[in-house]
């Protein structure tokens, strides 16, 4: 290895070391939180916490009536639909088709496979934990599957954060990339909160869904950083080639 190559390698290592350390710490911390939360749920240690929050969101005289104005209940019903399988499946397919038409074959396939495997992971976690739905308050929407982790919270986090992270890599401008990521986080958060408000999930179900979904999206983002070039870097190469002509 020549002196120039050695210096270049050290420069790249120094540049990526903080990001690598932060990412590894985030993954380790997220896995620890998810493991501890799952353990506490299985032991029943979180029930009082869950019960207190669910009861606080209902009228004390009639637990079938949530707190807040009537329009808030309708809004939460609409918001929770954004995390449903139908909406997320349509969104994923449309984004994938758009990327294919934009000649972004690698990222299109990666988006589709990342979201699909995330859904499968959510289903597997539900089966392993097998926590029944809360019966503390009446449900404001119809549900039939298991409770932990919240499928809406996890799958919406997987979908919107993964789509946000990967689609952001197709954008030229930093402001656009930031907006896409913030929008993904915002959607995942309000969808999870809607499930608690509607009484169909314990708060710990939603927290676990957020944690697992964020970890999945982070892993997909790390892989994409390695395998898929960003639009900004491609534009830089094209600009250099154009200037050299």
């Amino acid at each position: 290895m020549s002196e120039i190559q050695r210096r270049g390698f050290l420069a790249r290592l120094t540049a990526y070391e903080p990001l690598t350390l932060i990412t590894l710490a985030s993954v380790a911390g997220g896995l620890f939180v998810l493991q501890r939360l799952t353990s506490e749920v299985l032991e029943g240690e979180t029930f009082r916490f869950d019960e207190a929050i669910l009861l606080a969101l209902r009228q004390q005289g009639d637990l079938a009536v949530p707190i807040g104005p009537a329009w808030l209940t309708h809004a939460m019903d609409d918001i929770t639909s954004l995390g449903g399988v139908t909406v997320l499946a349509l969104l994923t397919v449309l984004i994938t088709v758009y990327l294919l038409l934009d000649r972004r074959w690698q990222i299109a396939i990666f988006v589709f496979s990342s979201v699909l495997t995330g859904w499968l992971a959510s289903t597997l976690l539900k089966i392993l934990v097998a926590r029944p739905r809360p019966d503390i308050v009446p449900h404001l929407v119809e549900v039939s599957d298991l409770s932990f982790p919240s499928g809406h919270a996890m799958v919406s986090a997987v979908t919107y954060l993964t789509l946000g992270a990967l689609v952001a890599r197709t954008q030229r401008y930093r402001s656009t990339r930031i907006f896409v990521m913030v929008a993904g986080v915002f959607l995942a958060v309000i969808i999870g909160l809607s499930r608690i408000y509607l009484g169909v999930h314990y708060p710990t179900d939603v927290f676990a869904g957020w944690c697992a979904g964020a970890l999945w999206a982070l892993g997909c983002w790390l892989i994409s950083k390695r395998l898929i070039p960003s639009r900004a870097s491609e534009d830089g190469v094209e600009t250099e080639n154009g200037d050299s002509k």
Side-chain angles (χ1 to χ4, degrees), residues 200-218:
V200 295
H201 274 296
Y202 296 104
T204 46
D205 296 339
V206 173
F207 297 156
W210 283 337
C211 185
L215 284 172
W216 197 270
L218 178 60

Side-chain angles (χ1 to χ4, degrees), residues 66-90:
I67 61 173
W71 63 261
L72 182 59
T73 303
H74 290 294
M76 288 296 178
D77 193 21
D78 291 337
I79 289 171
T80 205
S81 299
L82 297 175
V85 174
T86 302
V87 173
L88 294 179
L90 286 173

Side-chain angles (χ1 to χ4, degrees), residues 3 96 99 106 129 164 167 182 212 224:
E3 181 65 19
T96 301
L99 292 171
Q106 285 181 307
V129 178
V167 172
V182 171
S224 72

Side-chain angles (χ1 to χ4, degrees), residues 3-222:
E3 181 65 19
I4 296 177
Q5 290 175 327
R6 187 179 67 83
R7 289 180 179 178
F9 173 77
L10 292 176
R12 289 193 297 271
L13 183 63
T14 302
Y16 284 102
E17 184 179 10
L19 177 61
T20 302
L21 292 176
I22 292 172
T23 302
L24 290 176
S26 299
V27 171
L31 288 173
F32 174 77
V33 170
L34 182 60
Q35 186 276 327
R36 289 297 302 167
L37 185 57
T38 304
S39 176
E40 293 295 320
V41 165
L42 290 174
E43 294 173 3
E45 298 294 331
T46 63
F47 181 77
R48 288 175 179 257
F49 169 78
D50 289 324
E51 181 184 43
I53 293 180
L54 288 176
L55 291 176
L57 294 174
R58 296 301 173 94
Q59 300 288 348
Q60 297 305 309
D62 186 358
L63 295 181
V65 180
I67 61 173
W71 63 261
L72 182 59
T73 303
H74 290 294
M76 288 296 178
D77 193 21
D78 291 337
I79 289 171
T80 205
S81 299
L82 297 175
V85 174
T86 302
V87 173
L88 294 179
L90 286 173
L91 179 63
T92 302
V93 170
L94 290 174
I95 290 291
T96 301
V97 172
Y98 164 78
L99 292 171
L100 289 172
L101 294 176
D102 196 38
R103 304 297 189 269
R104 306 285 293 176
W105 305 96
Q106 285 181 307
I107 196 170
I109 295 173
F110 196 81
V111 163
F112 187 82
S113 59
S114 298
V115 173
L116 178 61
T117 53
W119 287 358
L120 294 176
S122 174
T123 302
L124 179 61
L125 283 174
K126 278 181 174 288
I127 294 173
L128 291 176
V129 178
R131 187 187 199 185
R133 293 279 180 167
D135 56 4
I136 300 170
V137 296
H139 300 164
L140 299 183
V141 292
E142 185 177 351
V143 291
S144 58
D145 58 346
L146 296 171
S147 189
F148 185 95
S150 166
H152 274 66
M154 179 175 175
V155 176
S156 64
V158 168
T159 304
Y160 290 119
L161 296 184
T162 298
L163 289 176
L166 298 180
V167 172
R169 293 188 58 75
T170 70
Q171 305 304 308
R172 294 181 178 89
Y173 305 110
R174 182 187 299 271
S175 59
T176 308
R177 295 194 294 269
I178 292 174
F179 173 79
V180 170
M181 286 304 303
V182 171
V185 172
F186 175 73
L187 287 172
V189 169
I190 62 173
I191 289 170
L193 293 177
S194 73
R195 304 304 283 175
I196 301 174
Y197 184 85
L198 296 172
V200 295
H201 274 296
Y202 296 104
T204 46
D205 296 339
V206 173
F207 297 156
W210 283 337
C211 185
L215 284 172
W216 197 270
L218 178 60
C220 293
W221 177 79
L222 288 174

